Amino acid sequence: MSGKPRLTYCNGRGRMEPVRWLLAAAGVEFEEIFLETREQYEKLIKDGVLMFQQVPLVEIDGMKMVQTRAILSYIAGKYNLYGKDLKERALIDMYVEGITDLMQMILMFPFSPPEAKEKNLDSIKERATNRYFPVFEKVLKQHGQDFLVGNKFSWADVQLIEAILAVEEKIPAVLSGFPQLQECGLFKELSLSYGCLKSSTRRN
């Protein structure tokens, strides 16, 4: 096995996508193994690789890590994207948890029955524009800096970029009332330049 982190998941975005984003933002190359059969998944369980019989699985630094939050926290800490002290980490955690709540709605959207898709899309828009995006708009406006925490690029910024692009895929004009967040174009270009979304056409 090479020294690159190895990611094991199905061939889709899902719960592995924020891991891909965070590694890409850190400038870390990684390998991917896609689970295409039930037998592949069952073998991982039989071999005792999956602690809770769930993916995503990330092999990094000699560890076989599961649970998305634990994986993300480790990567953020390892690559200096997790603040300089406990207070900054607490802020990053709060922002990330809020963004995760919004991303959960987006994650479940493809599984909506056809008759519920329009209603669920309206719910995503309502939550994004009335609950989540206003928080980050206010933070950026109040401190007048380019990043959410400590005027330094962090895990929270990465998660926010992912959320903005995910919502914009479904609701292109969603940022029309958020001028500060529109300035996140710099972050978007940064993430895109790392090739984070090069495979988005293959992932659902």
Side-chain angles (χ1 to χ4, degrees):
M1 177 180 174
S2 73
K4 297 178 183 178
R6 186 163 65 181
L7 284 51
T8 301
Y9 197 64
C10 58
N11 189 359
R13 295 182 185 181
R15 299 188 184 282
M16 186 65 88
E17 192 70 351
V19 178
R20 298 182 183 111
W21 274 86
L22 198 57
L23 286 169
V28 178
E29 293 184 1
F30 53 87
E31 299 174 350
E32 296 202 66
I33 296 175
F34 298 116
L35 299 178
E36 298 176 344
T37 66
R38 180 74 183 179
E39 288 72 23
Q40 287 177 290
Y41 171 68
E42 289 176 347
K43 185 177 187 305
L44 290 175
I45 295 175
K46 182 179 179 181
D47 292 345
V49 174
L50 302 179
M51 184 181 293
F52 300 109
Q53 301 183 18
Q54 296 174 317
V55 289
L57 166 69
V58 173
E59 297 173 73
I60 184 171
D61 294 342
M63 298 185 292
K64 299 182 187 298
M65 297 193 69
V66 295
Q67 300 298 94
T68 306
R69 173 68 196 221
I71 294 166
L72 291 168
S73 295
Y74 183 82
I75 293 169
K78 177 179 175 67
Y79 296 107
N80 199 27
L81 294 168
Y82 207 179
K84 69 178 187 299
D85 54 34
L86 284 174
K87 287 186 177 181
E88 288 196 355
R89 287 193 173 200
L91 282 172
I92 290 169
D93 284 339
M94 287 193 291
Y95 295 151
V96 166
E97 287 295 319
I99 297 165
T100 301
D101 291 343
L102 175 60
M103 290 301 296
Q104 180 65 21
M105 298 177 69
I106 297 169
L107 187 67
M108 298 308 297
F109 180 76
F111 303 102
S112 304
E115 66 274 11
K117 282 192 179 294
E118 184 175 352
K119 179 181 178 181
N120 290 346
L121 190 61
D122 287 342
S123 294
I124 290 171
K125 181 179 179 180
E126 192 278 330
R127 291 288 182 88
T129 57
N130 293 321
R131 179 179 297 187
Y132 296 108
F133 289 172
V135 170
F136 302 110
E137 178 79 6
K138 182 178 179 181
V139 169
L140 292 172
K141 185 175 182 179
Q142 283 184 336
H143 64 38
Q145 297 171 346
D146 292 329
F147 306 105
L148 290 172
V149 179
N151 199 26
K152 184 179 179 182
F153 194 57
S154 75
W155 175 17
D157 298 299
V158 179
Q159 293 282 96
L160 179 57
I161 296 163
E162 181 191 2
I164 287 173
L165 292 181
V167 177
E168 282 186 327
E169 279 185 346
K170 296 172 174 57
I171 310 163
V174 71
L175 289 186
S176 59
F178 301 98
Q180 298 293 327
L181 292 183
Q182 289 179 42
E183 294 301 316
C184 284
L186 172 64
F187 307 151
K188 293 180 196 176
E189 292 301 320
L190 178 62
S191 293
L192 289 169
S193 71
Y194 284 139
C196 194
L197 294 181
K198 280 184 178 177
S199 303
S200 62
T201 54
R202 110 179 122 66
R203 296 181 186 137
N204 299 313

